[in-house]
mmCIF file of all heavy atoms in Angstrom:
data_model
loop_
_atom_site.group_PDB
_atom_site.id
_atom_site.type_symbol
_atom_site.label_atom_id
_atom_site.label_comp_id
_atom_site.label_asym_id
_atom_site.label_seq_id
_atom_site.Cartn_x
_atom_site.Cartn_y
_atom_site.Cartn_z
ATOM 1 N N THR M 145 44.874 0.518 -46.959
ATOM 2 C CA THR M 145 45.969 -0.290 -46.440
ATOM 3 C C THR M 145 46.614 0.475 -45.317
ATOM 4 O O THR M 145 46.721 1.697 -45.373
ATOM 5 C CB THR M 145 47.043 -0.565 -47.541
ATOM 6 O OG1 THR M 145 47.357 0.680 -48.161
ATOM 7 C CG2 THR M 145 46.531 -1.552 -48.559
ATOM 8 N N GLY M 146 46.971 -0.238 -44.276
ATOM 9 C CA GLY M 146 47.558 0.426 -43.111
ATOM 10 C C GLY M 146 48.888 -0.149 -42.724
ATOM 11 O O GLY M 146 49.161 -1.349 -42.929
ATOM 12 N N GLU M 147 49.732 0.693 -42.220
ATOM 13 C CA GLU M 147 51.031 0.275 -41.739
ATOM 14 C C GLU M 147 51.462 1.280 -40.685
ATOM 15 O O GLU M 147 51.530 2.489 -40.961
ATOM 16 C CB GLU M 147 52.022 0.342 -42.938
ATOM 17 C CG GLU M 147 53.040 -0.810 -42.923
ATOM 18 C CD GLU M 147 53.845 -0.787 -44.197
ATOM 19 O OE1 GLU M 147 54.634 0.166 -44.374
ATOM 20 O OE2 GLU M 147 53.710 -1.716 -45.011
ATOM 21 N N ALA M 148 51.737 0.783 -39.506
ATOM 22 C CA ALA M 148 52.234 1.624 -38.390
ATOM 23 C C ALA M 148 51.361 2.876 -38.228
ATOM 24 O O ALA M 148 51.875 3.990 -38.234
ATOM 25 C CB ALA M 148 53.677 2.031 -38.633
ATOM 26 N N GLN M 150 49.585 4.425 -40.134
ATOM 27 C CA GLN M 150 49.416 5.296 -41.289
ATOM 28 C C GLN M 150 48.490 4.568 -42.263
ATOM 29 O O GLN M 150 48.742 3.425 -42.622
ATOM 30 C CB GLN M 150 50.754 5.563 -41.961
ATOM 31 C CG GLN M 150 50.696 6.307 -43.293
ATOM 32 C CD GLN M 150 49.997 7.647 -43.179
ATOM 33 O OE1 GLN M 150 50.448 8.496 -42.372
ATOM 34 N NE2 GLN M 150 48.928 7.850 -43.937
ATOM 35 N N VAL M 151 47.404 5.245 -42.626
ATOM 36 C CA VAL M 151 46.467 4.608 -43.534
ATOM 37 C C VAL M 151 46.583 5.230 -44.904
ATOM 38 O O VAL M 151 46.659 6.442 -45.054
ATOM 39 C CB VAL M 151 44.990 4.824 -43.006
ATOM 40 C CG1 VAL M 151 44.010 4.186 -43.974
ATOM 41 C CG2 VAL M 151 44.839 4.221 -41.609
ATOM 42 N N ASN M 152 46.623 4.376 -45.928
ATOM 43 C CA ASN M 152 46.611 4.805 -47.313
ATOM 44 C C ASN M 152 45.273 4.453 -47.960
ATOM 45 O O ASN M 152 44.715 3.412 -47.629
ATOM 46 C CB ASN M 152 47.736 4.164 -48.124
ATOM 47 C CG ASN M 152 49.021 4.934 -48.047
ATOM 48 O OD1 ASN M 152 49.196 5.830 -47.198
ATOM 49 N ND2 ASN M 152 49.935 4.635 -48.959
ATOM 50 N N VAL M 153 44.836 5.271 -48.847
ATOM 51 C CA VAL M 153 43.655 4.962 -49.618
ATOM 52 C C VAL M 153 44.008 4.846 -51.074
ATOM 53 O O VAL M 153 44.795 5.629 -51.616
ATOM 54 C CB VAL M 153 42.540 6.014 -49.385
ATOM 55 C CG1 VAL M 153 42.999 7.402 -49.760
ATOM 56 C CG2 VAL M 153 41.265 5.666 -50.144
ATOM 57 N N GLU M 159 46.861 6.590 -55.334
ATOM 58 C CA GLU M 159 46.974 6.199 -53.934
ATOM 59 C C GLU M 159 47.548 7.355 -53.163
ATOM 60 O O GLU M 159 48.452 8.025 -53.625
ATOM 61 C CB GLU M 159 47.897 4.973 -53.765
ATOM 62 C CG GLU M 159 48.079 4.567 -52.311
ATOM 63 C CD GLU M 159 48.884 3.312 -52.135
ATOM 64 O OE1 GLU M 159 49.398 2.773 -53.102
ATOM 65 O OE2 GLU M 159 49.019 2.902 -50.943
ATOM 66 N N THR M 160 47.005 7.609 -51.963
ATOM 67 C CA THR M 160 47.476 8.679 -51.148
ATOM 68 C C THR M 160 47.243 8.380 -49.669
ATOM 69 O O THR M 160 46.548 7.423 -49.341
ATOM 70 C CB THR M 160 46.845 10.021 -51.562
ATOM 71 O OG1 THR M 160 47.541 11.104 -50.888
ATOM 72 C CG2 THR M 160 45.381 10.083 -51.167
ATOM 73 N N ARG M 161 47.841 9.203 -48.848
ATOM 74 C CA ARG M 161 47.660 9.014 -47.405
ATOM 75 C C ARG M 161 46.377 9.623 -46.935
ATOM 76 O O ARG M 161 45.951 10.643 -47.472
ATOM 77 C CB ARG M 161 48.818 9.686 -46.632
ATOM 78 C CG ARG M 161 50.119 9.006 -46.737
ATOM 79 C CD ARG M 161 51.256 9.922 -46.301
ATOM 80 N NE ARG M 161 52.524 9.386 -46.788
ATOM 81 C CZ ARG M 161 53.291 8.599 -46.067
ATOM 82 N NH1 ARG M 161 52.923 8.254 -44.856
ATOM 83 N NH2 ARG M 161 54.415 8.143 -46.562
ATOM 84 N N VAL M 162 45.785 8.992 -45.921
ATOM 85 C CA VAL M 162 44.674 9.602 -45.235
ATOM 86 C C VAL M 162 45.274 10.399 -44.083
ATOM 87 O O VAL M 162 45.859 9.808 -43.168
ATOM 88 C CB VAL M 162 43.701 8.519 -44.659
ATOM 89 C CG1 VAL M 162 42.612 9.148 -43.845
ATOM 90 C CG2 VAL M 162 43.138 7.704 -45.803
ATOM 91 N N ASP M 178 45.343 14.463 -49.654
ATOM 92 C CA ASP M 178 46.000 15.495 -50.436
ATOM 93 C C ASP M 178 46.052 15.128 -51.915
ATOM 94 O O ASP M 178 46.858 15.672 -52.701
ATOM 95 C CB ASP M 178 47.371 15.867 -49.872
ATOM 96 C CG ASP M 178 48.242 14.664 -49.658
ATOM 97 O OD1 ASP M 178 47.967 13.615 -50.266
ATOM 98 O OD2 ASP M 178 49.219 14.775 -48.886
ATOM 99 N N MET M 179 45.217 14.189 -52.298
ATOM 100 C CA MET M 179 44.982 13.948 -53.713
ATOM 101 C C MET M 179 43.482 13.817 -53.931
ATOM 102 O O MET M 179 42.775 13.336 -53.052
ATOM 103 C CB MET M 179 45.665 12.662 -54.181
ATOM 104 C CG MET M 179 47.147 12.790 -54.428
ATOM 105 S SD MET M 179 47.851 11.179 -54.874
ATOM 106 C CE MET M 179 47.835 11.362 -56.650
HETATM 107 C C1 NAG Y 4 51.150 5.400 -48.906
HETATM 108 O O1 NAG Y 4 51.106 6.227 -50.055
HETATM 109 C C2 NAG Y 4 52.268 7.024 -50.221
HETATM 110 C C3 NAG Y 4 52.037 7.862 -51.415
HETATM 111 O O2 NAG Y 4 51.082 8.846 -51.161
HETATM 112 C C4 NAG Y 4 53.465 6.111 -50.411
HETATM 113 O O3 NAG Y 4 54.645 6.908 -50.458
HETATM 114 C C5 NAG Y 4 53.584 5.172 -49.193
HETATM 115 O O4 NAG Y 4 54.633 4.251 -49.440
HETATM 116 C C6 NAG Y 4 52.311 4.409 -49.036
HETATM 117 N N1 NAG Y 4 52.375 3.631 -47.837
HETATM 118 C C7 NAG Y 4 51.968 2.345 -47.800
HETATM 119 C C8 NAG Y 4 52.041 1.690 -46.479
HETATM 120 O O5 NAG Y 4 51.551 1.799 -48.818
#
Side-chain angles (χ1 to χ4, degrees):
T145 49
E147 217 174 67
Q150 173 60 55
V151 180
N152 271 17
V153 57
E159 179 175 3
T160 190
R161 288 164 196 268
V162 175
D178 53 19
M179 281 178 97

